[in-house]
Amino acid sequence: MTATQTTARNAAFAGVLQRQGAAVVLVLGLIVAWFAFPRFGSADNLRDLALQGSFLAVIALGMTFVIISGGIDLSVGSNYALGGVLAAYGSQYGFFVAILLPLVVCSAIGLINGVLIARTGMAPFIVTLATLLFARGLLLAITSEGATTFKIAPGSAILWLGQGTIFGVGVPVYLTLVLFALGGVLLRRTGFGQSVFAIGGAEQSALLMGLPVVRTKITLYTLSGALAGFAGVLTAAYLQSGVTVIGVGTELDAISVVVIGGTLLTGGAGTIVGTLVGVLLRVLIQNVINQVGTLDSNYQTVVSGAFLLIVVVIQRLLARSRTR
């Protein structure tokens, strides 16, 4: 085997590890947890795992598009909380208002992000940090600094989205799977998805190729805001109220599962399936810590942070090995 062939094989192997490493860790983790903790493999626990991960997964889906494009969206946590409050508030006016009100408002915030970033060239970090504060401030204004909690009346149709089940599995799980399937098609089978990859890989080259860079950025940030708002709708329907304290740090959770799933923070590479794997891996870590029982819940954050750091370092090393 020649040196060129060896280099090519090593680069291919590094690429596979970068894309599939989280899936391997997830499978190994599931096997260990299955045998180490008798309750882990129970149907009730597995259903709970899927339900817990579905809310974050919806947010992370939008974040995947943004990060692949080379951007970041720090406003999703506040949009998530705002969407839940607006859904609970709108539920008194009917099912469709409860869904459309948060989607319209959160999409509008995402649209503002996209326009400012794409049209003015402002840094995504700064723009989305500003809208994070704006959305959280709007949330506090609506709820009188958090003193007012909007409840969803018992029997409201919107509750089915969060509390309903199909064959024993929560409706949010099915909705999440449908959204991920649509997201996979959008990313891999459409011109929009190819533009997202091109922008993340080399934005100037994408411009020279005549790709709709501005329109694509505006669309993907709007999509991110809409999905965060929809996750808020599902959470409000599940909790039967608009909880004002949720969403703090959720943007970091979303970023972490996207990166753990193999999407590069530098943009240009990533998969929808990888993000789903990242969500499942995070939920698995949380559940294992709960199964141990002797560890404080704060260790979930410690473990997640350490795992994210390890993944980023490995990604960096693999990226270097592929370019040699």
Side-chain angles (χ1 to χ4, degrees), residues 88-312:
Y89 171 78
S91 65
Q92 61 186 308
Y93 302 106
F95 177 82
F96 292 106
V97 175
I99 295 179
L100 292 178
L101 179 61
L103 287 182
V104 169
V105 173
C106 294
S107 295
I109 294 174
L111 177 63
I112 292 171
N113 285 335
V115 170
L116 290 176
I117 292 168
R119 293 289 185 185
T120 69
M122 295 175 65
F125 180 88
I126 299 300
V127 173
T128 58
L129 178 60
T131 51
L132 175 156
L133 298 174
F134 171 80
R136 184 64 63 174
L138 180 59
L139 165 66
L140 293 175
I142 294 172
T143 61
S144 302
E145 300 293 328
T148 302
T149 300
F150 296 106
K151 300 286 187 178
I152 299 178
S156 176
I158 193 71
L159 293 177
W160 182 78
L161 293 179
Q163 299 178 358
T165 60
I166 300 175
F167 302 116
V169 179
V171 170
V173 177
Y174 292 101
L175 293 175
T176 299
L177 292 176
V178 170
L179 288 173
F180 266 73
L182 294 175
V185 172
L186 182 63
L187 186 62
R188 291 291 180 180
R189 303 295 182 184
T190 66
F192 171 78
Q194 297 310 306
S195 295
V196 171
F197 279 108
I199 293 169
E203 184 172 335
Q204 291 303 314
S205 297
L207 284 168
L208 293 174
M209 292 168 59
L211 296 177
V213 173
V214 172
R215 187 176 65 198
T216 300
K217 282 188 173 184
I218 292 174
T219 301
L220 62 89
Y221 278 98
T222 303
L223 176 65
S224 179
L227 287 171
F230 185 64
V233 173
L234 295 179
T235 301
Y238 177 68
L239 299 176
Q240 206 168 331
S241 65
V243 181
T244 59
V245 296
I246 65 171
V248 177
T250 301
E251 62 278 353
L252 303 180
D253 292 335
I255 293 169
S256 68
V257 297
V258 171
V259 174
I260 287 172
T263 298
L264 296 180
L265 272 174
T266 52
T271 64
I272 298 298
V273 174
T275 295
L276 185 59
V277 170
V279 172
L280 294 175
L281 191 53
R282 187 179 187 279
V283 172
L284 171 64
I285 292 172
Q286 292 176 336
N287 191 260
V288 167
I289 291 175
N290 291 334
Q291 294 280 350
V292 171
T294 57
L295 294 176
D296 188 274
S297 60
N298 291 325
Y299 279 99
Q300 294 178 0
T301 305
V302 174
V303 173
S304 297
F307 194 79
L308 174 60
L309 181 61
I310 293 171
V311 169
V312 172

Side-chain angles (χ1 to χ4, degrees), residues 42-54 238 283 287:
S42 66
D44 288 340
N45 187 60
L46 294 178
R47 282 195 294 264
D48 287 342
L49 285 179
L51 183 61
Q52 291 167 18
S54 60
Y238 177 68
V283 172
N287 191 260

